[in-house]
Amino acid sequence: MARKKIGDLLVEQGLITPVELEQSLHLQTSTGKRLGAILVEQGKLTEEQLVDIIASRLLIPKISLDQLVIDPSVVQRVPVDLARRYTLIPVFAMGNTLTLAMADPLNIIALDEIKYFTKADVKRAVATSREIKQAIDQYYSVTDSLNQIIGARREPSLAVRETPDVETATEPESPIVKLVNLIIAKAVRDRASDIHLEPDENSLRIRYRINGVMREEGAPPKSMQNEMISRIKIAADLDVSEKRLPQDGRFIMRVDGNPIDLRISTLPTIHGEKIVIRVLDRRNLLLTFRQLGFGSDMAGRWQSLVRKPEGLILITGPTSSGKTSTLYTTLNDINSTDKNIITVEDPVEYSLPLINQIQINEKAGLSFPSCLRAILRQSPDVIMIGEVRDTETARIAVRSALTGHLVFSTTHTNNAPQAISRLTDMGIEPYLLTAALKGVLAQRLVRTNCPHCLTGYQPSETVLGRAGLLDSAHHFGFKKGAGCKQCKGTGLAGLTGIFELVEVTPALGELIIKNASPRIIGETARRAGYIPLFEAGLDRVKAGEICLEELLKETSSVPDDAIDRFGGRETIHAGAV
């Protein structure tokens, strides 16, 4: 008797309805995709449910790669390009029999190619594509991939080619193009924010910045340096022949089907041009305030503030503290067809729908002040200024906020009260600032604990002393990641934001007019509910989301007047606003 089809099994087990099956079969006819893939994409089925059905239907084992340690010698039997192309990975070898974990065990072409390449008998197992992709990233190093791509390019000399082969750098199937694509794709999959290609005297170093920390990767030989740089410059539409001056450019590359914006910066050094590639994943634009790190109370206060019809709202913090992500998430949140939103940025990092974005070009005379003067004649409802850099920009921003526009911008200060004083120091009259400014959000990015290996620990007395917690440490269940396969032994999972928000009340307005110090402004704001960054971070420490050492790396301890909200006593004394 013939075995039931996968679609019939899904209906029989109540995972989908007959109508959903019929609709998906029609879509399969028009797209050529697998039925299971269509159902997963539509959210009718989880990948785990699909794997269970496939294993049952084909009578093959289901493998959980998260719980499996694979012998590296087994992995090396299948080249990384085949593993990625067909989403599979070898997991066992017994004599001349090789067992593959496959996302699509019905892919006969993949099976035939693996059999031809390995000269082995192939057995099938099924696993989720997520687990297989993670295993590929874990077991195949960049060095392995580079060696396979470079392959036939046996160049005994380490000397750098003075005249790079531009034809090779543009040919889609050339080793150079594959090499650059591999480096970028690996960075995207590892969630790196930057890629650094750094020439030394006898080598080329490649480093990724992941969760704010630089990590070195395998690199190609020095002899390929100029061709790689040429490839990147050509893709970014830069002048390949200009090696004496810095250049900036950008291009878009698809990785795993997703468009990735890449911002390129070149810098001449004594050993060749250094290139930094900023990796901007558009999927990050879909983040919610909760995903950014806002608590429910903070998110509610912020969303209420940014829906005011007019006024100036500032986001402050050092470089790489996540200000742009917060701005873009905020603009997405308030964006609608009935608003005219215009941004002035340097540079424009992401393209936003329904929003008019302007890229600053100082060489052409397009500066922040000149842009802003032109924007005010475009009847905007909301204006976003990338950064308040000078007095003229600050004056125009304040004037715009006073004439019925909602204005967002950023500045660089340590906390929210200091941002207010920064504007008065730039020459903004206090009475105008009081009328225009509605609120200031300060933020930092902090590395989070890996949830898979979270364990309790006790910080040292030195760390507790720096945090002002020597007398109240017993109120905390301190936790940190111990290191595991999921976090690659780092104990860290990613980045989250911590925030403090000062809303300008009438009492604060009087202090601004009197040119009060940031300390006085902070003390008054506390009585209206302001919680400084460090104390906001302590809430996350107590919840086990971050460890105390990571919080201290990014913030100062709390001010003299701070109350230990966890122990109910005034035990935190270090630092100042």
Side-chain angles (χ1 to χ4, degrees):
M1 187 170 124
R3 282 179 289 175
K4 293 180 180 179
K5 295 182 178 179
I6 287 177
D8 295 330
L9 286 173
L10 292 170
V11 173
E12 185 179 286
Q13 295 192 17
L15 296 173
I16 61 173
T17 66
V19 174
E20 289 173 334
L21 173 60
E22 191 66 30
Q23 291 171 343
S24 298
L25 288 172
H26 280 303
L27 194 56
Q28 181 185 28
T29 303
S30 60
T31 64
K33 292 183 178 180
R34 295 278 186 190
L35 176 64
I38 292 172
L39 290 168
V40 170
E41 286 175 5
Q42 293 180 336
K44 303 279 178 36
L45 198 67
T46 67
E47 198 175 4
E48 285 73 16
Q49 289 171 325
L50 176 62
V51 166
D52 286 336
I53 290 293
I54 291 174
S56 173
R57 167 66 174 77
L58 299 179
L59 301 177
I60 60 176
K62 172 191 172 184
I63 290 180
S64 175
L65 294 177
D66 287 342
Q67 309 300 323
L68 189 67
V69 177
I70 308 174
D71 185 341
S73 64
V74 173
V75 174
Q76 295 302 320
R77 295 184 66 171
V78 174
V80 65
D81 59 328
L82 292 183
R84 290 200 190 280
R85 187 189 312 162
Y86 297 120
T87 316
L88 57 82
I89 189 168
V91 289
F92 303 115
M94 187 72 69
N96 197 42
T97 301
L98 187 66
T99 301
L100 302 176
M102 305 178 69
D104 181 9
L106 292 172
N107 191 333
I108 303 303
I109 295 175
L111 290 168
D112 287 344
E113 190 161 351
I114 298 298
K115 287 178 184 177
Y116 176 80
F117 186 87
T118 62
K119 311 299 183 191
D121 296 325
V122 173
K123 280 190 174 182
R124 297 174 296 172
V126 63
T128 65
S129 61
R130 175 191 63 81
E131 288 184 338
I132 292 174
K133 288 175 181 177
Q134 286 180 350
I136 290 172
D137 288 339
Q138 177 184 352
Y139 288 101
Y140 289 101
S141 69
V142 172
T143 304
D144 294 333
S145 304
L146 292 178
N147 289 339
Q148 288 196 12
I149 289 175
I150 295 169
R153 289 177 60 101
R154 298 186 180 92
E155 299 183 32
S157 172
L158 285 177
V160 178
R161 294 186 182 183
E162 291 300 327
T163 307
D165 188 345
V166 174
E167 214 172 280
T168 301
T170 56
E171 176 60 43
E173 295 302 315
S174 77
I176 296 298
V177 173
K178 288 182 178 179
L179 204 56
V180 172
N181 290 351
L182 168 71
I183 291 167
I184 294 172
K186 180 71 165 55
V188 172
R189 294 180 184 120
D190 285 356
R191 305 189 69 178
S193 60
D194 305 276
I195 306 168
H196 293 248
L197 279 72
E198 303 168 321
D200 281 341
E201 184 175 0
N202 295 312
S203 64
L204 175 64
R205 181 185 296 112
I206 295 177
R207 295 196 290 172
Y208 295 163
R209 186 179 294 280
I210 301 174
N211 295 333
V213 177
M214 299 288 275
R215 188 184 79 192
E216 190 162 356
E217 293 287 345
K222 176 77 171 176
S223 58
M224 301 181 75
Q225 173 181 307
N226 282 350
E227 286 175 289
M228 287 181 63
I229 290 171
S230 295
R231 166 58 189 164
I232 295 169
K233 291 170 76 172
I234 289 168
D237 199 24
L238 301 179
D239 185 351
V240 179
S241 63
E242 179 56 77
K243 301 178 182 180
R244 300 167 299 173
L245 298 174
Q247 297 186 70
D248 295 299
R250 63 190 305 159
F251 66 96
I252 297 174
M253 174 177 160
R254 298 190 77 85
V255 177
D256 298 331
N258 299 299
I260 306 297
D261 290 301
L262 302 164
R263 205 170 74 216
I264 313 302
S265 172
T266 73
L267 186 70
T269 73
I270 59 172
H271 299 304
E273 289 178 281
K274 174 183 175 178
I275 287 189
V276 175
I277 304 175
R278 182 79 184 274
V279 181
L280 304 169
D281 192 336
R282 295 184 186 183
R283 288 170 291 184
N284 294 338
L285 286 178
L286 304 177
L287 294 178
T288 63
F289 289 113
R290 182 72 178 172
Q291 289 171 315
L292 287 177
F294 282 74
S296 55
D297 177 64
M298 176 67 77
R301 291 172 60 200
W302 178 247
Q303 287 177 296
S304 174
L305 183 65
V306 301
R307 280 173 169 76
K308 290 183 179 294
E310 77 284 317
L312 174 62
I313 298 174
L314 291 177
I315 300 178
T316 189
T319 302
S320 299
S321 60
K323 299 188 296 296
T324 301
S325 294
T326 302
L327 267 178
Y328 278 18
T329 299
T330 300
L331 290 178
N332 261 345
D333 188 61
I334 66 174
N335 192 11
S336 65
T337 55
D338 60 353
K339 288 189 179 75
N340 179 18
I341 302 178
I342 304 178
T343 74
V344 187
E345 305 172 65
D346 184 22
V348 173
E349 295 199 358
Y350 296 99
S351 176
L352 299 171
L354 289 179
I355 294 179
N356 307 283
Q357 295 172 269
I358 302 171
Q359 169 81 49
I360 290 299
N361 187 343
E362 297 280 0
K363 292 180 180 178
L366 192 62
S367 62
F368 276 110
S370 63
C371 269
L372 289 171
R373 284 190 290 268
I375 283 173
L376 292 175
R377 296 191 289 271
Q378 294 281 318
S379 183
D381 298 298
V382 180
I383 301 171
M384 191 272 270
I385 306 168
E387 182 185 344
V388 175
R389 293 181 176 177
D390 52 47
T391 299
E392 188 177 4
T393 302
R395 288 187 184 280
I396 297 174
V398 169
R399 192 182 312 128
S400 302
L402 291 172
T403 53
H405 305 92
L406 182 61
V407 181
F408 293 95
S409 191
T410 70
T411 186
H412 293 88
T413 59
N414 289 328
N415 55 42
Q418 285 181 2
I420 298 173
S421 297
R422 173 65 56 84
L423 289 176
T424 56
D425 290 344
M426 293 177 75
I428 304 300
E429 291 80 357
Y431 71 93
L432 291 178
L433 186 58
T434 300
L437 188 63
K438 301 301 179 186
V440 182
L441 181 81
Q443 68 178 79
R444 295 291 190 280
L445 286 179
V446 182
R447 297 190 293 178
T448 58
N449 293 327
C450 173
H452 302 286
C453 56
L454 201 59
T455 184
Y457 82 108
Q458 185 65 22
S460 68
E461 286 196 5
T462 302
V463 171
L464 291 173
R466 285 176 56 207
L469 296 175
L470 280 172
D471 298 326
S472 56
H474 59 283
H475 294 289
F476 291 78
F478 294 105
K479 294 180 180 177
K480 70 191 304 184
C484 64
K485 184 171 72 172
Q486 278 79 9
C487 63
K488 298 184 178 179
T490 64
L492 303 167
L495 295 169
T496 189
I498 54 174
F499 305 88
E500 64 178 27
L501 178 61
V502 169
E503 297 179 72
V504 178
T505 61
L508 275 185
E510 292 180 9
L511 291 177
I512 294 172
I513 290 176
K514 295 176 182 177
N515 274 324
S517 69
R519 185 180 65 83
I520 299 299
I521 291 174
E523 290 172 355
T524 304
R526 269 182 175 277
R527 293 192 282 273
Y530 160 64
I531 299 174
L533 278 169
F534 184 79
E535 287 188 51
L538 285 180
D539 284 323
R540 312 289 286 278
V541 170
K542 192 172 185 184
E545 297 176 34
I546 61 178
C547 69
L548 185 59
E549 289 83 353
E550 288 295 326
L551 177 62
L552 286 170
K553 281 182 185 178
E554 301 299 333
T555 66
S556 303
S557 46
V558 295
D560 294 338
D561 66 330
I563 302 297
D564 182 355
R565 295 180 290 117
F566 307 98
R569 296 174 298 156
E570 295 187 11
T571 57
I572 305 177
H573 303 297
V577 172

